[in-house]
Amino acid sequence: MDDIIQGIAIYALPVIFAITLHEAAHGYVARHFGDPTAEMAGRISLNPLRHIDLMGTILLPLIMFVTSKLLMGSGLLFGWAKPVPVNFGRLRRPKKDMLWVAAAGPGANLLMAFFWAAIIKLGISIPDGIYIKPMVLMGIAGIEINVVLMVLNLLPLPPLDGGRIAVSLLPNKLAWKFAQIEPYGFVILLILLVSGVLGVVLWPLISITRQMIVMLFGLYV
């Protein structure tokens, strides 16, 4: 039980900021390309309270983490925040600009993974102290959750960010047909998760990305 409580304390901040800043990034880039919807809704903010979804940001990651610890496993840990409202029709070039709005979320996760890698680097470079271990463990958690969210959201499945990127890149007729998958996207994702296919697809990509970050920052954790 102590290990679970300690783990929750370590993962809490990385999970909350990974999920909420992902959404805030969508709103910021949408505003840059002409859609002020997220700004008018007060969603371009670094305040997690503006983005937290009770189920997706708190309960689901908590349940997945505790279950993983109890089963002695290392399952996928992910979640979601309240979706940032984006009116793609108000973008200056809706189909083209959709790519950048969609890519902003995974891009934010990549930058946060770099941030947590820098925290680890700082933690292992300072003299011994009581804060070194928590800094390193939180940094490891930060890299893990942000890489998972980035890779997951880049799957080419609407309404995930990768699906919207695909819609932006595909020719108009094919893009319209592909976009029709969106109402069923989360059902498909759930089926892939329960069947184990999602893990088979994601884990190699997650491992490669995580290893690249470790090598980039010269970390051995």
PDB file of all heavy atoms in Angstrom, residues 14 27 45 48 52-53 55 74 86 91 93 99 122 125 161 165 173 176 200 210:
ATOM      1  N   PRO A  14       2.883  14.900 -13.072  1.00  0.00           N
ATOM      2  CA  PRO A  14       3.130  14.609 -14.492  1.00  0.00           C
ATOM      3  C   PRO A  14       1.869  14.250 -15.268  1.00  0.00           C
ATOM      4  O   PRO A  14       1.698  14.695 -16.409  1.00  0.00           O
ATOM      5  CB  PRO A  14       4.107  13.414 -14.432  1.00  0.00           C
ATOM      6  CG  PRO A  14       4.821  13.578 -13.137  1.00  0.00           C
ATOM      7  CD  PRO A  14       3.790  14.135 -12.196  1.00  0.00           C
ATOM      8  N   GLY A  27      -5.780  24.730 -28.129  1.00  0.00           N
ATOM      9  CA  GLY A  27      -6.459  26.017 -28.121  1.00  0.00           C
ATOM     10  C   GLY A  27      -5.553  27.160 -28.536  1.00  0.00           C
ATOM     11  O   GLY A  27      -5.961  28.061 -29.286  1.00  0.00           O
ATOM     12  N   SER A  45      -5.072  28.248 -21.105  1.00  0.00           N
ATOM     13  CA  SER A  45      -4.613  28.517 -19.746  1.00  0.00           C
ATOM     14  C   SER A  45      -3.722  27.390 -19.269  1.00  0.00           C
ATOM     15  O   SER A  45      -3.909  26.228 -19.629  1.00  0.00           O
ATOM     16  CB  SER A  45      -5.827  28.649 -18.810  1.00  0.00           C
ATOM     17  OG  SER A  45      -5.416  28.707 -17.457  1.00  0.00           O
ATOM     18  N   PRO A  48      -4.501  23.905 -14.511  1.00  0.00           N
ATOM     19  CA  PRO A  48      -5.106  22.584 -14.746  1.00  0.00           C
ATOM     20  C   PRO A  48      -6.588  22.524 -14.415  1.00  0.00           C
ATOM     21  O   PRO A  48      -7.332  21.733 -15.009  1.00  0.00           O
ATOM     22  CB  PRO A  48      -4.299  21.660 -13.819  1.00  0.00           C
ATOM     23  CG  PRO A  48      -3.011  22.373 -13.577  1.00  0.00           C
ATOM     24  CD  PRO A  48      -3.362  23.834 -13.591  1.00  0.00           C
ATOM     25  N   ILE A  52      -9.311  19.948 -16.255  1.00  0.00           N
ATOM     26  CA  ILE A  52      -9.463  18.621 -15.641  1.00  0.00           C
ATOM     27  C   ILE A  52     -10.857  18.048 -15.875  1.00  0.00           C
ATOM     28  O   ILE A  52     -11.863  18.722 -15.694  1.00  0.00           O
ATOM     29  CB  ILE A  52      -9.171  18.695 -14.126  1.00  0.00           C
ATOM     30  CG1 ILE A  52      -7.658  18.822 -13.892  1.00  0.00           C
ATOM     31  CG2 ILE A  52      -9.705  17.476 -13.399  1.00  0.00           C
ATOM     32  CD1 ILE A  52      -7.286  19.001 -12.433  1.00  0.00           C
ATOM     33  N   ASP A  53     -10.882  16.807 -16.300  1.00  0.00           N
ATOM     34  CA  ASP A  53     -12.105  16.015 -16.397  1.00  0.00           C
ATOM     35  C   ASP A  53     -12.024  14.968 -15.286  1.00  0.00           C
ATOM     36  O   ASP A  53     -11.031  14.228 -15.198  1.00  0.00           O
ATOM     37  CB  ASP A  53     -12.195  15.345 -17.765  1.00  0.00           C
ATOM     38  CG  ASP A  53     -13.407  14.438 -17.891  1.00  0.00           C
ATOM     39  OD1 ASP A  53     -13.290  13.250 -17.533  1.00  0.00           O
ATOM     40  OD2 ASP A  53     -14.453  14.911 -18.339  1.00  0.00           O
ATOM     41  N   MET A  55     -13.320  12.070 -14.654  1.00  0.00           N
ATOM     42  CA  MET A  55     -13.085  10.682 -15.055  1.00  0.00           C
ATOM     43  C   MET A  55     -11.759  10.531 -15.788  1.00  0.00           C
ATOM     44  O   MET A  55     -10.931   9.694 -15.446  1.00  0.00           O
ATOM     45  CB  MET A  55     -14.238  10.191 -15.939  1.00  0.00           C
ATOM     46  CG  MET A  55     -14.027   8.779 -16.503  1.00  0.00           C
ATOM     47  SD  MET A  55     -13.738   7.513 -15.238  1.00  0.00           S
ATOM     48  CE  MET A  55     -15.395   7.413 -14.535  1.00  0.00           C
ATOM     49  N   SER A  74       2.886  -3.415 -15.969  1.00  0.00           N
ATOM     50  CA  SER A  74       3.266  -2.069 -16.424  1.00  0.00           C
ATOM     51  C   SER A  74       2.382  -1.686 -17.605  1.00  0.00           C
ATOM     52  O   SER A  74       2.853  -1.432 -18.705  1.00  0.00           O
ATOM     53  CB  SER A  74       4.743  -2.028 -16.841  1.00  0.00           C
ATOM     54  OG  SER A  74       5.007  -2.993 -17.836  1.00  0.00           O
ATOM     55  N   VAL A  86     -12.748  23.662 -30.540  1.00  0.00           N
ATOM     56  CA  VAL A  86     -12.114  24.231 -31.731  1.00  0.00           C
ATOM     57  C   VAL A  86     -13.138  24.210 -32.861  1.00  0.00           C
ATOM     58  O   VAL A  86     -13.740  23.171 -33.144  1.00  0.00           O
ATOM     59  CB  VAL A  86     -10.867  23.430 -32.151  1.00  0.00           C
ATOM     60  CG1 VAL A  86     -10.291  23.989 -33.450  1.00  0.00           C
ATOM     61  CG2 VAL A  86      -9.806  23.455 -31.055  1.00  0.00           C
ATOM     62  N   LEU A  91     -10.891  28.543 -38.846  1.00  0.00           N
ATOM     63  CA  LEU A  91      -9.473  28.629 -39.176  1.00  0.00           C
ATOM     64  C   LEU A  91      -9.314  29.294 -40.537  1.00  0.00           C
ATOM     65  O   LEU A  91     -10.171  29.185 -41.406  1.00  0.00           O
ATOM     66  CB  LEU A  91      -8.840  27.237 -39.196  1.00  0.00           C
ATOM     67  CG  LEU A  91      -8.879  26.457 -37.876  1.00  0.00           C
ATOM     68  CD1 LEU A  91      -8.365  25.039 -38.095  1.00  0.00           C
ATOM     69  CD2 LEU A  91      -8.068  27.157 -36.795  1.00  0.00           C
ATOM     70  N   ARG A  93      -7.330  28.607 -43.035  1.00  0.00           N
ATOM     71  CA  ARG A  93      -7.312  27.561 -44.072  1.00  0.00           C
ATOM     72  C   ARG A  93      -7.698  26.255 -43.378  1.00  0.00           C
ATOM     73  O   ARG A  93      -6.817  25.488 -42.968  1.00  0.00           O
ATOM     74  CB  ARG A  93      -5.925  27.446 -44.693  1.00  0.00           C
ATOM     75  CG  ARG A  93      -5.398  28.741 -45.339  1.00  0.00           C
ATOM     76  CD  ARG A  93      -3.944  28.601 -45.733  1.00  0.00           C
ATOM     77  NE  ARG A  93      -3.129  28.225 -44.562  1.00  0.00           N
ATOM     78  CZ  ARG A  93      -1.853  27.858 -44.626  1.00  0.00           C
ATOM     79  NH1 ARG A  93      -1.244  27.793 -45.804  1.00  0.00           N
ATOM     80  NH2 ARG A  93      -1.182  27.549 -43.528  1.00  0.00           N
ATOM     81  N   LEU A  99      -4.084  20.462 -39.427  1.00  0.00           N
ATOM     82  CA  LEU A  99      -2.893  19.663 -39.135  1.00  0.00           C
ATOM     83  C   LEU A  99      -2.134  20.241 -37.952  1.00  0.00           C
ATOM     84  O   LEU A  99      -1.748  19.514 -37.035  1.00  0.00           O
ATOM     85  CB  LEU A  99      -1.989  19.611 -40.376  1.00  0.00           C
ATOM     86  CG  LEU A  99      -0.732  18.744 -40.274  1.00  0.00           C
ATOM     87  CD1 LEU A  99      -0.377  18.198 -41.651  1.00  0.00           C
ATOM     88  CD2 LEU A  99       0.459  19.513 -39.712  1.00  0.00           C
ATOM     89  N   LEU A 122      19.005  17.301 -13.978  1.00  0.00           N
ATOM     90  CA  LEU A 122      19.295  18.180 -12.851  1.00  0.00           C
ATOM     91  C   LEU A 122      19.397  17.385 -11.561  1.00  0.00           C
ATOM     92  O   LEU A 122      20.305  17.594 -10.747  1.00  0.00           O
ATOM     93  CB  LEU A 122      18.200  19.245 -12.730  1.00  0.00           C
ATOM     94  CG  LEU A 122      18.314  20.211 -11.539  1.00  0.00           C
ATOM     95  CD1 LEU A 122      19.590  21.025 -11.637  1.00  0.00           C
ATOM     96  CD2 LEU A 122      17.094  21.118 -11.473  1.00  0.00           C
ATOM     97  N   SER A 125      22.602  15.525 -11.114  1.00  0.00           N
ATOM     98  CA  SER A 125      23.823  16.330 -11.172  1.00  0.00           C
ATOM     99  C   SER A 125      24.081  17.126  -9.898  1.00  0.00           C
ATOM    100  O   SER A 125      25.196  17.633  -9.708  1.00  0.00           O
ATOM    101  CB  SER A 125      23.754  17.296 -12.355  1.00  0.00           C
ATOM    102  OG  SER A 125      22.730  18.265 -12.160  1.00  0.00           O
ATOM    103  N   ASP A 161      -5.676  12.911 -32.463  1.00  0.00           N
ATOM    104  CA  ASP A 161      -4.956  13.932 -33.220  1.00  0.00           C
ATOM    105  C   ASP A 161      -4.370  13.370 -34.510  1.00  0.00           C
ATOM    106  O   ASP A 161      -4.371  14.046 -35.547  1.00  0.00           O
ATOM    107  CB  ASP A 161      -3.838  14.525 -32.353  1.00  0.00           C
ATOM    108  CG  ASP A 161      -4.383  15.204 -31.107  1.00  0.00           C
ATOM    109  OD1 ASP A 161      -5.480  15.788 -31.188  1.00  0.00           O
ATOM    110  OD2 ASP A 161      -3.719  15.146 -30.058  1.00  0.00           O
ATOM    111  N   ILE A 165      -4.795  14.750 -38.298  1.00  0.00           N
ATOM    112  CA  ILE A 165      -3.633  15.021 -39.157  1.00  0.00           C
ATOM    113  C   ILE A 165      -3.805  14.285 -40.485  1.00  0.00           C
ATOM    114  O   ILE A 165      -3.536  14.835 -41.557  1.00  0.00           O
ATOM    115  CB  ILE A 165      -2.334  14.597 -38.448  1.00  0.00           C
ATOM    116  CG1 ILE A 165      -2.050  15.528 -37.256  1.00  0.00           C
ATOM    117  CG2 ILE A 165      -1.148  14.613 -39.424  1.00  0.00           C
ATOM    118  CD1 ILE A 165      -0.909  15.071 -36.376  1.00  0.00           C
ATOM    119  N   LYS A 173     -11.703  14.033 -51.213  1.00  0.00           N
ATOM    120  CA  LYS A 173     -12.712  12.972 -51.206  1.00  0.00           C
ATOM    121  C   LYS A 173     -12.359  11.877 -50.206  1.00  0.00           C
ATOM    122  O   LYS A 173     -13.206  11.414 -49.436  1.00  0.00           O
ATOM    123  CB  LYS A 173     -12.869  12.375 -52.608  1.00  0.00           C
ATOM    124  CG  LYS A 173     -13.602  13.278 -53.582  1.00  0.00           C
ATOM    125  CD  LYS A 173     -13.866  12.558 -54.902  1.00  0.00           C
ATOM    126  CE  LYS A 173     -14.663  13.446 -55.852  1.00  0.00           C
ATOM    127  NZ  LYS A 173     -14.938  12.773 -57.149  1.00  0.00           N
ATOM    128  N   TRP A 176     -12.765  13.147 -46.630  1.00  0.00           N
ATOM    129  CA  TRP A 176     -14.159  13.188 -46.181  1.00  0.00           C
ATOM    130  C   TRP A 176     -14.623  11.800 -45.763  1.00  0.00           C
ATOM    131  O   TRP A 176     -15.274  11.635 -44.728  1.00  0.00           O
ATOM    132  CB  TRP A 176     -15.050  13.722 -47.299  1.00  0.00           C
ATOM    133  CG  TRP A 176     -16.483  13.857 -46.877  1.00  0.00           C
ATOM    134  CD1 TRP A 176     -17.052  14.904 -46.217  1.00  0.00           C
ATOM    135  CD2 TRP A 176     -17.520  12.887 -47.071  1.00  0.00           C
ATOM    136  NE1 TRP A 176     -18.387  14.667 -45.986  1.00  0.00           N
ATOM    137  CE2 TRP A 176     -18.706  13.430 -46.492  1.00  0.00           C
ATOM    138  CE3 TRP A 176     -17.576  11.642 -47.671  1.00  0.00           C
ATOM    139  CZ2 TRP A 176     -19.913  12.751 -46.510  1.00  0.00           C
ATOM    140  CZ3 TRP A 176     -18.787  10.959 -47.687  1.00  0.00           C
ATOM    141  CH2 TRP A 176     -19.932  11.502 -47.107  1.00  0.00           C
ATOM    142  N   VAL A 200       0.222  -3.960 -28.385  1.00  0.00           N
ATOM    143  CA  VAL A 200       1.171  -4.541 -29.347  1.00  0.00           C
ATOM    144  C   VAL A 200       1.655  -3.475 -30.327  1.00  0.00           C
ATOM    145  O   VAL A 200       2.837  -3.439 -30.700  1.00  0.00           O
ATOM    146  CB  VAL A 200       0.516  -5.718 -30.108  1.00  0.00           C
ATOM    147  CG1 VAL A 200       1.416  -6.185 -31.246  1.00  0.00           C
ATOM    148  CG2 VAL A 200       0.227  -6.872 -29.153  1.00  0.00           C
ATOM    149  N   ARG A 210      11.023   6.726 -26.107  1.00  0.00           N
ATOM    150  CA  ARG A 210      11.595   6.911 -24.775  1.00  0.00           C
ATOM    151  C   ARG A 210      13.114   6.749 -24.809  1.00  0.00           C
ATOM    152  O   ARG A 210      13.845   7.536 -24.193  1.00  0.00           O
ATOM    153  CB  ARG A 210      10.961   5.912 -23.814  1.00  0.00           C
ATOM    154  CG  ARG A 210      11.335   6.111 -22.351  1.00  0.00           C
ATOM    155  CD  ARG A 210      10.402   5.297 -21.469  1.00  0.00           C
ATOM    156  NE  ARG A 210      10.275   3.924 -21.949  1.00  0.00           N
ATOM    157  CZ  ARG A 210       9.295   3.105 -21.594  1.00  0.00           C
ATOM    158  NH1 ARG A 210       8.344   3.515 -20.772  1.00  0.00           N
ATOM    159  NH2 ARG A 210       9.249   1.871 -22.050  1.00  0.00           N
TER     160      ARG A 210
END
